[in-house]
């Protein structure tokens, strides 16, 4: 889900009693020392019960609206109990015209609100810290693209240069390093030959993939772009792209899992 669009929609939403907006930021981070015993369950229960106590008139339409929200929240938590990551953010109304619920890889401070409008402060802070981001990882004729937002992977693409046709082709799954190169000395010799050929043609080959990367940046609406790989390779790609690059990481992380890559980017 595009958080920028969500924020734009929620920022302009306002209502009044008996309809209210429920806003919840729930810390479920298992690495948090205050969460070692699953304390988030107690915080969730107490947070929901506090509103029921406040809305003492059981027959009120506002309380019925809250009960509808409470049921949706409890159902979402139950459905995602095994995949809660570090936090849960929910915005909801009893009438159903507002419903946003997601589990995130970024921690939050637990808080609950039942107001005339969504309480967006923490979500805005998280989005400023990690907006829609494209990460381009290079390793010679292999390129991996990660589309991320709020420290969560939204999509992953792989491109490999066909050395016979000199076309970049999208394929499923990570590349296989050194495949089909034979074995022993022959494998090493073949690899050296391919490496030399790549270096001789790198500028031309990277120039041909750059427009694809620019188009992906536009299609995914990336606010930031990071490049990861050998310094010569990322510099070559940057020189051929029209989109500005936010930062570069001179490490070979092509075969690393996506969360490790995201952590590297967050540390920049």
């Amino acid at each position: 889900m595009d958080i920028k669009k969500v924020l734009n929609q929620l920022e302009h939403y306002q209502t009044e009693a008996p309809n209210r907006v429920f806003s919840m930021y729930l810390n479920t981070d298992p690495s948090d020392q205050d969460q070692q015993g699953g304390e988030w369950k107690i915080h969730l229960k107490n947070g929901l019960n506090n509103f029921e106590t406040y809305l003492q008139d059981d027959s009120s339409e506002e309380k019925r609206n809250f009960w509808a929200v409470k049921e949706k929240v409890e159902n979402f938590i139950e459905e995602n109990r095994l995949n809660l990551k570090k936090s849960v953010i929910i915005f909801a109304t009893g009438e159903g015209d507002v419903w946003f619920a997601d589990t995130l890889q970024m921690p939050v401070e637990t808080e609950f609100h039942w107001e005339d409008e969504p309480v967006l402060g923490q979500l805005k802070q998280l989005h400023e810290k990690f907006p829609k981001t494209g990460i381009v990882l290079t390793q010679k004729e292999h390129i991996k693209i990660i589309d991320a937002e709020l420290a969560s992977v939204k999509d992953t693409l792989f491109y490999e240069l066909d050395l016979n046709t000199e076309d970049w082709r999208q394929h499923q799954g990570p590349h296989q390093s050194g495949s089909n190169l034979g074995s022993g000395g022959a494998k090493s010799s073949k690899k050296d030959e391919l490496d030399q050929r790549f270096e001789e043609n790198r500028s031309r080959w990277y120039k041909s993939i750059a427009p694809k990367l620019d188009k992906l940046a536009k299609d995914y609406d990336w606010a930031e772009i990071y490049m990861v790989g050998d310094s010569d390779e990322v510099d070559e790609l940057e020189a051929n792209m029209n989109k500005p690059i936010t930062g570069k990481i001179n490490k070979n992380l092509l075969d690393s899992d996506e969360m490790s890559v995201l952590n590297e980017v967050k540390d920049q």
Side-chain angles (χ1 to χ4, degrees), residues 105-161:
Q105 288 284 7
M106 302 181 78
V108 299
E109 294 291 331
T110 295
E111 56 181 272
F112 301 85
H113 300 273
W114 183 247
E115 308 284 350
D116 291 341
E117 57 188 27
V119 178
L120 302 173
Q122 287 201 65
L123 183 57
K124 287 182 178 180
Q125 291 174 3
L126 294 176
H127 188 252
E128 289 175 3
K129 186 175 181 180
F130 209 125
K132 282 282 284 183
T133 300
I135 306 172
V136 180
L137 302 100
T138 72
Q139 187 181 337
K140 299 191 183 302
E141 70 271 22
H142 304 282
I143 292 179
K144 176 179 178 180
I145 296 106
I146 299 174
D147 173 52
E149 187 173 32
L150 298 185
S152 294
V153 176
K154 301 301 181 181
D155 198 7
T156 305
L157 304 174
F158 301 89
Y159 285 90
E160 183 172 2
L161 179 68

Side-chain angles (χ1 to χ4, degrees), residues 1-240:
M1 186 175 293
D2 189 329
I3 300 300
K4 183 179 179 180
K5 292 181 180 179
V6 171
L7 282 170
N8 287 338
Q9 293 171 354
L10 293 178
E11 280 180 327
H12 297 93
Y13 184 90
Q14 191 165 10
T15 186
E16 58 185 22
N19 193 31
R20 301 282 192 184
V21 185
F22 176 75
S23 303
M24 182 185 85
Y25 298 90
L26 183 63
N27 177 13
T28 57
D29 187 355
S31 65
D32 189 329
Q33 290 186 349
D34 295 332
Q35 296 291 335
Q36 297 301 308
E39 282 78 3
W40 65 265
K41 300 173 188 176
I42 298 174
H43 296 154
L44 175 63
K45 181 179 179 181
N46 291 341
L48 295 175
N49 287 343
N50 286 341
F51 289 121
E52 284 197 279
T53 302
Y54 172 73
L55 301 170
Q56 293 184 5
D57 183 359
D58 290 354
S59 63
S60 73
E61 186 175 350
E62 184 175 348
K63 189 157 191 177
R64 286 195 293 271
N65 283 333
F66 177 74
W67 281 341
V69 167
K70 180 181 177 182
E71 182 178 7
K72 293 178 184 178
V73 171
E74 291 176 337
N75 287 341
F76 180 82
I77 294 295
E78 183 60 32
E79 292 168 1
N80 293 274
R81 183 174 293 273
L82 300 179
N83 189 36
L84 289 181
K85 303 176 184 176
K86 293 186 177 182
S87 63
V88 181
I89 297 179
I90 294 178
F91 301 101
T93 61
E95 294 183 350
D97 52 340
V98 171
W99 174 252
F100 169 83
D102 205 354
T103 62
L104 304 179
Q105 288 284 7
M106 302 181 78
V108 299
E109 294 291 331
T110 295
E111 56 181 272
F112 301 85
H113 300 273
W114 183 247
E115 308 284 350
D116 291 341
E117 57 188 27
V119 178
L120 302 173
Q122 287 201 65
L123 183 57
K124 287 182 178 180
Q125 291 174 3
L126 294 176
H127 188 252
E128 289 175 3
K129 186 175 181 180
F130 209 125
K132 282 282 284 183
T133 300
I135 306 172
V136 180
L137 302 100
T138 72
Q139 187 181 337
K140 299 191 183 302
E141 70 271 22
H142 304 282
I143 292 179
K144 176 179 178 180
I145 296 106
I146 299 174
D147 173 52
E149 187 173 32
L150 298 185
S152 294
V153 176
K154 301 301 181 181
D155 198 7
T156 305
L157 304 174
F158 301 89
Y159 285 90
E160 183 172 2
L161 179 68
D162 186 324
L163 295 175
N164 294 318
T165 64
E166 298 190 345
D167 291 327
W168 289 94
R169 297 186 177 182
Q170 186 177 347
H171 66 95
Q172 300 295 321
H175 78 285
Q176 299 294 320
S177 300
S179 59
N180 301 320
L181 295 182
S183 60
K187 179 178 180 180
S188 177
S189 176
K190 184 67 172 177
K191 183 179 183 304
D192 290 342
E193 180 182 330
L194 291 176
D195 288 348
Q196 180 179 349
R197 183 185 175 195
F198 178 82
E199 292 303 319
E200 291 172 351
N201 294 276
R202 182 181 65 208
S203 179
R204 179 167 58 87
W205 287 341
Y206 274 5
K207 184 176 182 179
S208 69
I209 188 72
K212 294 180 185 289
L213 300 179
D214 281 326
K215 187 176 186 303
L216 288 173
K218 180 181 179 180
D219 292 345
Y220 282 112
D221 194 23
W222 290 332
E224 297 182 351
I225 302 175
Y226 288 85
M227 289 195 163
V228 184
D230 177 82
S231 59
D232 290 339
E233 294 177 17
V234 297
D235 288 348
E236 192 79 60
L237 272 179
E238 180 186 22
N240 284 289

